[in-house]
Amino acid sequence: MAFNESQNIAVDHSNGPLLVLAGPGSGKTTVITHRAKKLIVDCGVNPSNILVITFTRAAALEMQERFQKLIGKRTLPVTFGTFHAVYFKILKYAYNYSAANILKEEQKIDILKEIIIQLKLELDDEGDFISALISEISLVKGDMMDITHYYSKNCSEAIFKKIYSMYNDRLIRSNLIDFDDMLVMCYELLTKREDILQLWQNKYQYILIDEFQDISRVQYEIIKLLAKPQDNLFIVGDDDQSIYRFRGAKPEIMLNFKKDYPQAKQILLDTNYRSTKEILHTANRLIEKNNVRFSKKIKSDNDIGKPVDIKEFKNQQDESTYVLRLIDSYLKNGLEYNDIAVLYRTNTNPRLLVEKLMEYNIPFKIKDTIPNIYDHWMTKNIIAYIKIALGDSTRKSFLQIINRPKRYIARDAFQNPIVDLDDIREYYEDKSYVTERVDRLEYDLNMLEKMNPYAAINYIRKGIGYDDYVKEYASFRRIKEEDLFELLDELQETARNYPTYSLWFEHIEKYGEELKKQVKDRFAKKDGIELATMHSSKGLEYKTVIIIDALEGVTPHKRAVLPEDIEEERRLFYVAMTRAILQLHIFYPIERYGKDTKPSRFVEEIRSNDDKKKR
């Protein structure tokens, strides 16, 4: 195989640390597999002394398959694995652990649910809260933090510390470890047991790491221990594609690698074999705005190609309709469904597009699970109001809405499975301020019965006071009320197209069924337009990429406030852009959920001077 000069230098590297900066589409997997082969064939290294690490099991298997094809029919004992697989292997030998000792995801959720019950925490969004807790616990362990110095984003410090302590105690009592414990325990083992450390240092004398920009603090500390004393570290990555800080990734580790290893050589794989020159020039224009990065310019080995297409739309409806027309045009011109991807910042962005694709029977596949907006606890509250107005008198439905907003009505007041508001009045006959609220509720329900879905949601929010309840809840949960209001705005906007409750409910059912089908078929190989978040598009490529909702507050996300947050968001946009092989489209609506929006600062940063003059 013919290599370019930089690839040749990387493959031929013999001993000591080497930092390989590998731009998008620069052939890094090829370099890693050929480097492993070179060590064995030309340098006489025992294959069992080579360790190749990457971040996902799928990537490790793909790397192993590529290596196997390269060396032919022989099977060589090179170790390919994820950080977790390799570190668990070390723990297994030391502590006789088996797969039964690894905490399963559903067990973790069950433990946290039990802790929430024990602490008597009242939560409307228990699922979201548990997901946030799991991320925070992982972050604390992965960063090797002292819990006393951790400031929780989802609840008070006292509550988080209690949950964290109870969770770890439960794991110890059950002789279970989670994925983060694997790393922490492995580090502690290797620092305390010199004999065990030496055993694994002798085993893994050459360490090759892919996607090094995504490494966490504890993963790196273990690697440093294992690599001693030879420090035969061959690390490959791209600091411009570091997009997992929220999972504990520390791009600064790669940026500071030469401080830890002053003797390390550095090579840049600067030729992109994927994208056209136009796409790459535009992407370079964006990423150069980041200050904290290795200075580099990636060049394309391909044709000039078409200019990047940036378009503005009146609203999301127009944006989605145009995306469908564009897809149809590409299909008529010979592209396959699988050649086209629609990328977006978060997994809630494509809801409207999904509805349009369903409406026009265009096959699609969703790389990430899209949360069903109609399953959200706030949506369920809204629907409960409407269903009660339409005649649902069940205790369950009333309990869902009775104190949203506050009416000071206790659960004990609902003594029968079927609710009669006169019974509630009787229960509170000595409290006029409560009976007045019951009267008002009855009036509101009569009003809702006559409305269409859009007007009903607006009335529940503004007339009944549901928005006030949401503000109080956001304050209690330490989450931004704007995030909750955005979902309510979206819900209201999706209801606009349905003149009756029955049509809206029919749509809700069909939409839910389609999302379930997508989850079921997620790993099936089928034709369809790919819908994916920018995060999950990493490592993939498509002939045509369409980025939607390129808006300020969406990308960069509104939670990105600090300079390092904005730089990570810019890297994420860069990753999305560089998935495109032949054509890149970037779209944004100037109105979203009935409110004016601004195009993303990244759109302005990538516009050429000619584009800006035309505007």
Side-chain angles (χ1 to χ4, degrees), residues 438-544:
V438 175
D439 292 343
R440 175 68 199 197
L441 174 61
E442 189 167 40
Y443 170 82
D444 289 333
L445 293 171
N446 288 331
M447 292 290 289
L448 287 173
E449 187 185 3
K450 308 178 189 81
M451 294 179 180
N452 62 43
Y454 180 87
I457 296 171
N458 191 57
Y459 186 79
I460 292 164
R461 294 180 64 183
K462 312 298 182 191
I464 293 177
Y466 190 79
D467 278 7
D468 294 331
Y469 161 73
V470 167
K471 284 180 187 175
E472 286 177 20
Y473 187 77
S475 174
F476 160 68
R477 272 279 282 107
R478 279 195 181 180
I479 50 182
K480 290 190 175 178
E481 60 188 51
E482 301 87 59
D483 292 349
L484 300 180
F485 286 142
E486 187 173 291
L487 183 132
L488 289 170
D489 289 343
E490 184 179 356
L491 178 69
Q492 195 169 334
E493 199 61 30
T494 59
R496 191 190 285 275
N497 299 325
Y498 302 94
T500 66
Y501 291 131
S502 58
L503 287 172
W504 191 48
F505 290 152
E506 187 183 327
H507 162 73
I508 288 170
E509 191 173 340
K510 280 184 184 171
Y511 184 75
E513 284 169 4
E514 179 60 39
L515 289 189
K516 283 176 187 169
K517 182 173 172 291
Q518 286 291 331
V519 170
K520 190 178 170 187
D521 298 343
R522 197 162 152 204
F523 301 108
K525 289 185 178 177
K526 62 169 190 171
D527 287 338
I529 307 299
E530 181 103 300
L531 306 185
T533 62
M534 294 176 179
H535 278 104
S536 64
S537 72
K538 188 168 179 293
L540 303 175
E541 58 182 44
Y542 309 90
K543 287 182 180 174
T544 294

Side-chain angles (χ1 to χ4, degrees), residues 425-439:
R425 288 188 187 93
E426 190 178 330
Y427 187 88
Y428 284 105
E429 61 185 350
D430 58 336
K431 291 187 173 72
S432 60
Y433 67 92
V434 177
T435 56
E436 284 169 13
R437 284 173 168 82
V438 175
D439 292 343

Side-chain angles (χ1 to χ4, degrees), residues 225-243:
L225 288 170
L226 290 175
K228 289 177 181 177
Q230 297 103 323
D231 291 332
N232 289 325
L233 272 176
F234 185 90
I235 67 162
V236 183
D238 182 6
D239 57 304
D240 288 335
Q241 295 187 74
S242 180
I243 57 173

Side-chain angles (χ1 to χ4, degrees), residues 376-389:
H376 194 278
W377 61 272
M378 290 192 298
T379 306
K380 287 179 177 177
N381 289 173
I382 298 289
I383 290 173
Y385 264 112
I386 292 169
K387 287 193 170 175
I388 292 168

Side-chain angles (χ1 to χ4, degrees), residues 308-360:
V308 173
D309 174 37
I310 301 172
K311 274 193 174 57
E312 176 180 290
F313 296 91
K314 181 185 172 186
N315 52 39
Q316 285 180 297
Q317 289 277 358
D318 287 359
E319 180 188 50
S320 295
T321 302
Y322 185 82
V323 169
L324 262 62
R325 288 213 311 268
L326 185 62
I327 288 169
D328 185 56
S329 166
Y330 275 122
L331 295 173
K332 284 174 179 170
N333 282 292
L335 252 60
E336 303 289 330
Y337 287 116
N338 294 340
D339 293 330
I340 305 167
V342 180
L343 306 183
Y344 35 84
R345 174 61 181 84
T346 72
N347 60 358
T348 60
N349 288 132
R351 284 172 178 149
L352 182 60
L353 181 62
V354 166
E355 293 186 3
K356 289 276 186 192
L357 290 166
M358 285 167 58
E359 187 183 336
Y360 288 92

Side-chain angles (χ1 to χ4, degrees), residues 118-135:
Q118 284 172 23
L119 294 177
K120 296 180 179 173
L121 299 179
E122 291 188 18
L123 303 161
D124 285 316
D125 57 343
E126 187 184 79
D128 291 345
F129 182 64
I130 287 173
S131 295
L133 278 179
I134 289 170
S135 296

Side-chain angles (χ1 to χ4, degrees), residues 85-95 186 189-190 196 200 204 222 226:
V86 172
Y87 295 172
F88 186 63
K89 185 178 179 181
I90 293 171
L91 290 179
K92 249 166 65 171
Y93 278 95
Y95 300 128
C186 188
L189 172 69
L190 296 179
I196 293 175
W200 291 102
Y204 297 132
I222 297 170
L226 290 175

